[in-house]
Amino acid sequence: MNDFSRRRLLKTSAAAGAGAVVVPGAAAAAAPAASAVTDAPGSGGQGGKCPPAKLTGRIVRPEDSGYTDARLGWDQLFSHYPLVIVFAQNTQDVVNALTWARQNDVAVRIRSGRHALEGWSNVDSGIVIDISELKSVRIDAAARVATVGAGLNQLEAVTTLAKRNFAVTTGTEGSVGLSGATLGGGFGFLTRWLGMACDSLIGAEIVVAEGDECAKVVKADLNHNSDLLWALRGAGNGNFGIVTSLTYKLAPLKSVTYLQATWDGTGDLRRIFEAYQRTTPYTDARLGTQLEAHRNQLLLFAVLPEGTPTETRRLLAPILSIGSPQVTTQVGNWGDIYAGFQIPIENEPANWKFYSQFAKKPFPGEAIDIVSAFVKDAPTDDSNYFVQAFGGNVRRNPHGGTAFPHRDALFYAEPGAGWGTRSDQPGICDPLTPRAQAWIAEFSQALRPYVNGAYVNVPNVSLQDWETAYWESNFDRLRRLKAKYDPHNIFQYDQSIPPASC
């Protein structure tokens, strides 16, 4: 069986005891990755001037032997050559790096899991501030609160919390950075039960620009800079500053039922899709589901927290009764289940292209037929059309609100293409690239009459109205907050939020 897309949960079962990810500092109090919240030394100097900054942390430059590995991202369709990469070991390293960049007039990019899907977490001739080594974890079980270093990826977060029978919403891909996923909204199998990932975010430590050339550390929660917390809940990573730690409200979770159903071919796609959109956005709010259409098979995945296989099958009966799917179920600790369906990065294609869309109304038959036609003509087995049901507690805003606007969607949808072989010399033209990119462009355009908006974590680079597509009416407020927290627009990239003008 082929390894399918990054959305494909290839393994049907998790090995007993899988997912024992060791996170440095996970069992201890917060490590230096989450420092005390204070103004950085010299950060408020007269006239906004600071003493000359020196880069600290793990520094990688072009002449270093590890530079190629350090600069490459997950999506090798993009290849950049930064001037320097700083792997921060604590918050002060981030303060120093940002101050140095400002003093030397060097472009800044922020990186955690390296999954920026248009390559915007990297930059030629600039500085990449990489926070992936900030991996501390502190869990207050009595208060059901966890504070984690912003360098955790989703696999590390899920498995570490699950050992204590806790959970927060994350996406399905374990190697994706937890902070990047959360700050753009964040959704996965627990979304309908717990809401968006950003809904559980109750605090953050963030390094922001100050004055003419300085940087400082601030706290954002409901009592401190609450407007910044609102923005961090959905504005996307890298718009206001550099988040170094995140605090989440946890949900107790002892076990889940995980179901996978597979249909050979795509002949049942229309009936399955119709049943899916009639059922999964409206059913028991615990049930999280994903539907994938590939050119040679259809896949349904479901997770029911604290549920049974019988209950899961009953909730999905309108879909599972179509055709003759192969159905497997498994009950276990959420961390073990999650670890069991991960695909090693080295087994994934090198190049990826996606297009994000939300649907507020059920697809009519002609829209499903468009999906079917494009899926049959997909450029590779790794290409697919992916659907995630919303509804449930997605519709509830947490206390303090969020910048994420798409709460009335029935489902999220995403055509995606994966192709090519991983290499330490990316950028070589792959003959499939023009076909894959054309397929995505034509597919997404054909569905535009049936969808609304886009997801900032899966940016659509060709969108003319990306500001309202990502944030709807929240965009003007985000611009005002940008002017407050980053008036010099230090944190910018192709589709970053610009500060409001006077």
Short mmCIF file of all heavy atoms in Angstrom, two decimals, residues 328-372:
data_model
loop_
_atom_site.label_atom_id
_atom_site.label_comp_id
_atom_site.label_asym_id
_atom_site.label_seq_id
_atom_site.Cartn_x
_atom_site.Cartn_y
_atom_site.Cartn_z
N THR A 328 -11.92 -1.09 10.74
CA THR A 328 -11.19 -1.52 11.93
C THR A 328 -11.42 -0.52 13.05
O THR A 328 -11.61 0.69 12.80
CB THR A 328 -9.69 -1.64 11.66
OG1 THR A 328 -9.17 -0.35 11.31
CG2 THR A 328 -9.40 -2.62 10.53
N THR A 329 -11.43 -1.00 14.28
CA THR A 329 -11.54 -0.12 15.44
C THR A 329 -10.49 -0.51 16.47
O THR A 329 -10.03 -1.65 16.50
CB THR A 329 -12.93 -0.19 16.08
OG1 THR A 329 -13.22 -1.54 16.45
CG2 THR A 329 -14.01 0.34 15.15
N GLN A 330 -10.18 0.45 17.29
CA GLN A 330 -9.15 0.24 18.31
C GLN A 330 -9.46 1.14 19.49
O GLN A 330 -9.88 2.30 19.31
CB GLN A 330 -7.79 0.58 17.71
CG GLN A 330 -6.63 0.52 18.66
CD GLN A 330 -5.36 1.02 18.01
OE1 GLN A 330 -5.37 1.38 16.84
NE2 GLN A 330 -4.27 1.05 18.74
N VAL A 331 -9.26 0.66 20.69
CA VAL A 331 -9.46 1.44 21.91
C VAL A 331 -8.13 1.56 22.63
O VAL A 331 -7.40 0.56 22.78
CB VAL A 331 -10.51 0.79 22.83
CG1 VAL A 331 -10.68 1.61 24.11
CG2 VAL A 331 -11.84 0.63 22.11
N GLY A 332 -7.80 2.76 23.08
CA GLY A 332 -6.54 2.91 23.79
C GLY A 332 -6.32 4.32 24.28
O GLY A 332 -7.15 5.22 24.08
N ASN A 333 -5.18 4.52 24.93
CA ASN A 333 -4.75 5.84 25.36
C ASN A 333 -4.56 6.73 24.13
O ASN A 333 -4.02 6.30 23.12
CB ASN A 333 -3.44 5.70 26.13
CG ASN A 333 -2.81 7.03 26.50
OD1 ASN A 333 -2.05 7.60 25.74
ND2 ASN A 333 -3.15 7.52 27.68
N TRP A 334 -5.00 7.99 24.23
CA TRP A 334 -4.95 8.89 23.08
C TRP A 334 -3.52 9.07 22.57
O TRP A 334 -3.27 9.12 21.36
CB TRP A 334 -5.57 10.23 23.44
CG TRP A 334 -5.50 11.31 22.40
CD1 TRP A 334 -5.14 12.60 22.58
CD2 TRP A 334 -5.81 11.20 20.99
NE1 TRP A 334 -5.20 13.31 21.40
CE2 TRP A 334 -5.62 12.47 20.41
CE3 TRP A 334 -6.24 10.16 20.18
CZ2 TRP A 334 -5.83 12.73 19.05
CZ3 TRP A 334 -6.45 10.41 18.81
CH2 TRP A 334 -6.25 11.67 18.28
N GLY A 335 -2.55 9.13 23.46
CA GLY A 335 -1.18 9.29 23.01
C GLY A 335 -0.69 8.10 22.21
O GLY A 335 0.00 8.25 21.19
N ASP A 336 -1.06 6.88 22.63
CA ASP A 336 -0.66 5.68 21.89
C ASP A 336 -1.33 5.62 20.53
O ASP A 336 -0.71 5.28 19.52
CB ASP A 336 -1.01 4.42 22.70
CG ASP A 336 -0.21 4.32 23.99
OD1 ASP A 336 0.82 5.02 24.11
OD2 ASP A 336 -0.62 3.55 24.88
N ILE A 337 -2.62 5.93 20.50
CA ILE A 337 -3.36 5.92 19.23
C ILE A 337 -2.75 6.95 18.27
O ILE A 337 -2.48 6.66 17.10
CB ILE A 337 -4.85 6.23 19.46
CG1 ILE A 337 -5.52 5.16 20.33
CG2 ILE A 337 -5.58 6.40 18.13
CD1 ILE A 337 -5.70 3.83 19.67
N TYR A 338 -2.53 8.15 18.78
CA TYR A 338 -2.01 9.24 17.95
C TYR A 338 -0.63 8.87 17.39
O TYR A 338 -0.36 9.05 16.19
CB TYR A 338 -1.92 10.50 18.80
CG TYR A 338 -1.55 11.76 18.04
CD1 TYR A 338 -2.54 12.60 17.53
CD2 TYR A 338 -0.22 12.13 17.88
CE1 TYR A 338 -2.20 13.76 16.85
CE2 TYR A 338 0.13 13.29 17.21
CZ TYR A 338 -0.86 14.10 16.69
OH TYR A 338 -0.52 15.25 16.02
N ALA A 339 0.25 8.35 18.24
CA ALA A 339 1.58 7.96 17.78
C ALA A 339 1.50 6.85 16.74
O ALA A 339 2.31 6.79 15.81
CB ALA A 339 2.44 7.52 18.96
N GLY A 340 0.51 5.98 16.87
CA GLY A 340 0.41 4.84 15.98
C GLY A 340 0.03 5.17 14.56
O GLY A 340 0.32 4.37 13.65
N PHE A 341 -0.61 6.32 14.31
CA PHE A 341 -0.98 6.62 12.93
C PHE A 341 -0.07 7.66 12.27
O PHE A 341 -0.37 8.17 11.20
CB PHE A 341 -2.45 7.00 12.77
CG PHE A 341 -2.95 8.19 13.55
CD1 PHE A 341 -2.42 9.45 13.40
CD2 PHE A 341 -4.04 8.04 14.42
CE1 PHE A 341 -2.92 10.55 14.08
CE2 PHE A 341 -4.56 9.13 15.11
CZ PHE A 341 -4.00 10.38 14.94
N GLN A 342 1.08 7.94 12.88
CA GLN A 342 2.03 8.87 12.27
C GLN A 342 2.84 8.18 11.17
O GLN A 342 3.11 6.99 11.23
CB GLN A 342 2.98 9.44 13.32
CG GLN A 342 2.29 10.24 14.41
CD GLN A 342 1.46 11.39 13.87
OE1 GLN A 342 1.92 12.16 13.03
NE2 GLN A 342 0.24 11.52 14.36
N ILE A 343 3.22 8.97 10.17
CA ILE A 343 4.07 8.51 9.08
C ILE A 343 5.42 9.21 9.21
O ILE A 343 5.47 10.44 9.28
CB ILE A 343 3.45 8.83 7.71
CG1 ILE A 343 2.09 8.16 7.57
CG2 ILE A 343 4.38 8.40 6.57
CD1 ILE A 343 1.34 8.58 6.32
N PRO A 344 6.53 8.48 9.24
CA PRO A 344 7.84 9.13 9.33
C PRO A 344 8.04 10.10 8.16
O PRO A 344 7.67 9.81 7.02
CB PRO A 344 8.82 7.96 9.25
CG PRO A 344 8.05 6.77 9.70
CD PRO A 344 6.64 7.01 9.23
N ILE A 345 8.63 11.25 8.45
CA ILE A 345 8.83 12.26 7.42
C ILE A 345 9.61 11.71 6.24
O ILE A 345 9.33 12.03 5.08
CB ILE A 345 9.54 13.50 8.01
CG1 ILE A 345 8.58 14.26 8.94
CG2 ILE A 345 10.04 14.44 6.91
CD1 ILE A 345 9.20 15.46 9.61
N GLU A 346 10.58 10.84 6.51
CA GLU A 346 11.40 10.32 5.42
C GLU A 346 10.59 9.47 4.45
O GLU A 346 11.04 9.20 3.32
CB GLU A 346 12.58 9.52 5.97
CG GLU A 346 12.21 8.35 6.85
CD GLU A 346 12.15 8.71 8.33
OE1 GLU A 346 11.99 9.91 8.66
OE2 GLU A 346 12.27 7.79 9.16
N ASN A 347 9.41 9.02 4.86
CA ASN A 347 8.55 8.22 3.97
C ASN A 347 7.54 9.08 3.21
O ASN A 347 6.74 8.55 2.43
CB ASN A 347 7.80 7.16 4.78
CG ASN A 347 8.74 6.11 5.35
OD1 ASN A 347 9.87 5.98 4.91
ND2 ASN A 347 8.27 5.38 6.34
N GLU A 348 7.56 10.38 3.44
CA GLU A 348 6.61 11.27 2.78
C GLU A 348 7.24 11.89 1.53
O GLU A 348 8.46 11.98 1.43
CB GLU A 348 6.18 12.38 3.74
CG GLU A 348 5.40 11.89 4.94
CD GLU A 348 4.86 13.04 5.77
OE1 GLU A 348 5.60 14.02 5.98
OE2 GLU A 348 3.71 12.95 6.19
N PRO A 349 6.42 12.33 0.58
CA PRO A 349 6.95 13.04 -0.58
C PRO A 349 7.69 14.31 -0.17
O PRO A 349 7.48 14.85 0.92
CB PRO A 349 5.71 13.36 -1.39
CG PRO A 349 4.70 12.36 -0.96
CD PRO A 349 4.97 12.12 0.49
N ALA A 350 8.52 14.80 -1.05
CA ALA A 350 9.32 15.99 -0.77
C ALA A 350 8.53 17.28 -0.99
O ALA A 350 8.71 18.26 -0.26
CB ALA A 350 10.57 16.00 -1.64
N ASN A 351 7.66 17.29 -1.99
CA ASN A 351 7.00 18.52 -2.43
C ASN A 351 5.50 18.46 -2.16
O ASN A 351 4.86 17.42 -2.38
CB ASN A 351 7.24 18.73 -3.93
CG ASN A 351 8.70 18.65 -4.29
OD1 ASN A 351 9.54 19.28 -3.66
ND2 ASN A 351 9.03 17.85 -5.29
N TRP A 352 4.96 19.59 -1.72
CA TRP A 352 3.54 19.63 -1.36
C TRP A 352 2.92 20.95 -1.79
O TRP A 352 3.56 22.00 -1.78
CB TRP A 352 3.37 19.48 0.15
CG TRP A 352 3.80 18.15 0.67
CD1 TRP A 352 5.06 17.81 1.10
CD2 TRP A 352 3.01 16.99 0.80
NE1 TRP A 352 5.08 16.50 1.50
CE2 TRP A 352 3.84 15.97 1.32
CE3 TRP A 352 1.67 16.70 0.52
CZ2 TRP A 352 3.37 14.68 1.57
CZ3 TRP A 352 1.20 15.41 0.78
CH2 TRP A 352 2.04 14.43 1.30
N LYS A 353 1.64 20.87 -2.14
CA LYS A 353 0.87 22.08 -2.43
C LYS A 353 -0.56 21.84 -1.97
O LYS A 353 -1.15 20.77 -2.25
CB LYS A 353 0.88 22.40 -3.93
CG LYS A 353 0.39 23.78 -4.27
CD LYS A 353 1.38 24.84 -3.81
CE LYS A 353 0.94 26.24 -4.24
NZ LYS A 353 1.87 27.28 -3.78
N PHE A 354 -1.13 22.81 -1.26
CA PHE A 354 -2.48 22.69 -0.70
C PHE A 354 -3.28 23.96 -0.99
O PHE A 354 -2.72 25.01 -1.28
CB PHE A 354 -2.43 22.48 0.81
CG PHE A 354 -1.59 21.32 1.25
CD1 PHE A 354 -0.26 21.49 1.58
CD2 PHE A 354 -2.13 20.04 1.32
CE1 PHE A 354 0.52 20.42 1.97
CE2 PHE A 354 -1.36 18.97 1.71
CZ PHE A 354 -0.03 19.16 2.03
N TYR A 355 -4.58 23.84 -0.85
CA TYR A 355 -5.46 25.00 -0.99
C TYR A 355 -6.58 24.84 0.03
O TYR A 355 -7.32 23.86 0.00
CB TYR A 355 -6.03 25.09 -2.40
CG TYR A 355 -6.54 26.47 -2.76
CD1 TYR A 355 -5.72 27.38 -3.43
CD2 TYR A 355 -7.82 26.87 -2.42
CE1 TYR A 355 -6.16 28.64 -3.75
CE2 TYR A 355 -8.28 28.14 -2.74
CZ TYR A 355 -7.45 29.03 -3.41
OH TYR A 355 -7.90 30.29 -3.73
N SER A 356 -6.70 25.80 0.95
CA SER A 356 -7.66 25.67 2.05
C SER A 356 -8.98 26.34 1.72
O SER A 356 -9.03 27.40 1.09
CB SER A 356 -7.08 26.28 3.33
OG SER A 356 -6.82 27.67 3.17
N GLN A 357 -10.06 25.70 2.17
CA GLN A 357 -11.41 26.21 1.93
C GLN A 357 -12.33 25.78 3.09
O GLN A 357 -12.10 24.74 3.72
CB GLN A 357 -11.97 25.66 0.61
CG GLN A 357 -11.13 26.03 -0.61
CD GLN A 357 -11.58 25.34 -1.89
OE1 GLN A 357 -11.97 24.18 -1.88
NE2 GLN A 357 -11.51 26.04 -3.01
N PHE A 358 -13.36 26.57 3.37
CA PHE A 358 -14.40 26.20 4.33
C PHE A 358 -15.74 26.15 3.60
O PHE A 358 -15.98 26.93 2.68
CB PHE A 358 -14.49 27.22 5.47
CG PHE A 358 -13.30 27.23 6.39
CD1 PHE A 358 -12.23 28.09 6.16
CD2 PHE A 358 -13.25 26.38 7.48
CE1 PHE A 358 -11.14 28.10 7.01
CE2 PHE A 358 -12.15 26.38 8.34
CZ PHE A 358 -11.10 27.24 8.10
N ALA A 359 -16.60 25.24 4.03
CA ALA A 359 -17.95 25.14 3.46
C ALA A 359 -18.97 25.42 4.55
O ALA A 359 -18.96 24.78 5.60
CB ALA A 359 -18.17 23.75 2.88
N LYS A 360 -19.84 26.39 4.31
CA LYS A 360 -20.90 26.73 5.25
C LYS A 360 -22.21 26.03 4.92
O LYS A 360 -23.12 25.99 5.75
CB LYS A 360 -21.11 28.25 5.30
CG LYS A 360 -19.91 29.02 5.83
CD LYS A 360 -20.21 30.50 5.94
CE LYS A 360 -19.02 31.26 6.51
NZ LYS A 360 -19.29 32.72 6.67
N LYS A 361 -22.31 25.52 3.69
CA LYS A 361 -23.51 24.81 3.26
C LYS A 361 -23.09 23.46 2.68
O LYS A 361 -21.97 23.31 2.16
CB LYS A 361 -24.26 25.62 2.20
CG LYS A 361 -24.80 26.95 2.69
CD LYS A 361 -25.52 27.69 1.56
CE LYS A 361 -26.05 29.03 2.03
NZ LYS A 361 -26.76 29.75 0.92
N PRO A 362 -23.97 22.47 2.74
CA PRO A 362 -23.64 21.17 2.14
C PRO A 362 -23.34 21.32 0.65
O PRO A 362 -23.96 22.13 -0.04
CB PRO A 362 -24.90 20.34 2.38
CG PRO A 362 -25.60 21.00 3.52
CD PRO A 362 -25.30 22.46 3.40
N PHE A 363 -22.41 20.53 0.17
CA PHE A 363 -22.13 20.52 -1.26
C PHE A 363 -23.30 19.93 -2.03
O PHE A 363 -23.79 18.85 -1.68
CB PHE A 363 -20.89 19.66 -1.55
CG PHE A 363 -19.58 20.39 -1.41
CD1 PHE A 363 -19.50 21.66 -0.85
CD2 PHE A 363 -18.40 19.79 -1.84
CE1 PHE A 363 -18.29 22.32 -0.72
CE2 PHE A 363 -17.19 20.44 -1.72
CZ PHE A 363 -17.13 21.70 -1.16
N PRO A 364 -23.77 20.60 -3.08
CA PRO A 364 -24.75 19.97 -3.96
C PRO A 364 -24.07 18.88 -4.79
O PRO A 364 -22.85 18.76 -4.83
CB PRO A 364 -25.23 21.12 -4.83
CG PRO A 364 -24.06 22.06 -4.87
CD PRO A 364 -23.40 21.95 -3.52
N GLY A 365 -24.88 18.10 -5.48
CA GLY A 365 -24.35 17.00 -6.26
C GLY A 365 -23.30 17.42 -7.26
O GLY A 365 -22.28 16.72 -7.45
N GLU A 366 -23.49 18.59 -7.90
CA GLU A 366 -22.51 19.00 -8.92
C GLU A 366 -21.15 19.32 -8.32
O GLU A 366 -20.11 19.11 -8.95
CB GLU A 366 -23.03 20.21 -9.72
CG GLU A 366 -23.35 21.44 -8.90
CD GLU A 366 -24.83 21.53 -8.52
OE1 GLU A 366 -25.48 20.47 -8.41
OE2 GLU A 366 -25.32 22.67 -8.33
N ALA A 367 -21.12 19.81 -7.07
CA ALA A 367 -19.84 20.07 -6.41
C ALA A 367 -19.13 18.76 -6.08
O ALA A 367 -17.90 18.64 -6.23
CB ALA A 367 -20.05 20.88 -5.14
N ILE A 368 -19.88 17.77 -5.62
CA ILE A 368 -19.27 16.47 -5.32
C ILE A 368 -18.75 15.83 -6.60
O ILE A 368 -17.70 15.18 -6.61
CB ILE A 368 -20.29 15.55 -4.62
CG1 ILE A 368 -20.81 16.21 -3.34
CG2 ILE A 368 -19.66 14.19 -4.29
CD1 ILE A 368 -21.94 15.45 -2.67
N ASP A 369 -19.46 16.03 -7.69
CA ASP A 369 -18.99 15.49 -8.97
C ASP A 369 -17.68 16.15 -9.40
O ASP A 369 -16.82 15.50 -10.02
CB ASP A 369 -20.06 15.69 -10.05
CG ASP A 369 -21.27 14.78 -9.84
OD1 ASP A 369 -21.16 13.80 -9.07
OD2 ASP A 369 -22.33 15.07 -10.44
N ILE A 370 -17.51 17.44 -9.07
CA ILE A 370 -16.24 18.11 -9.35
C ILE A 370 -15.11 17.45 -8.56
O ILE A 370 -14.03 17.16 -9.09
CB ILE A 370 -16.33 19.61 -9.02
CG1 ILE A 370 -17.24 20.32 -10.02
CG2 ILE A 370 -14.94 20.25 -9.00
CD1 ILE A 370 -17.55 21.76 -9.66
N VAL A 371 -15.38 17.19 -7.28
CA VAL A 371 -14.39 16.50 -6.44
C VAL A 371 -14.02 15.16 -7.06
O VAL A 371 -12.85 14.81 -7.19
CB VAL A 371 -14.92 16.32 -5.01
CG1 VAL A 371 -13.96 15.46 -4.19
CG2 VAL A 371 -15.12 17.68 -4.33
N SER A 372 -15.04 14.41 -7.44
CA SER A 372 -14.81 13.07 -7.99
C SER A 372 -13.96 13.14 -9.26
O SER A 372 -13.00 12.36 -9.43
CB SER A 372 -16.15 12.39 -8.29
OG SER A 372 -15.95 11.10 -8.82
#
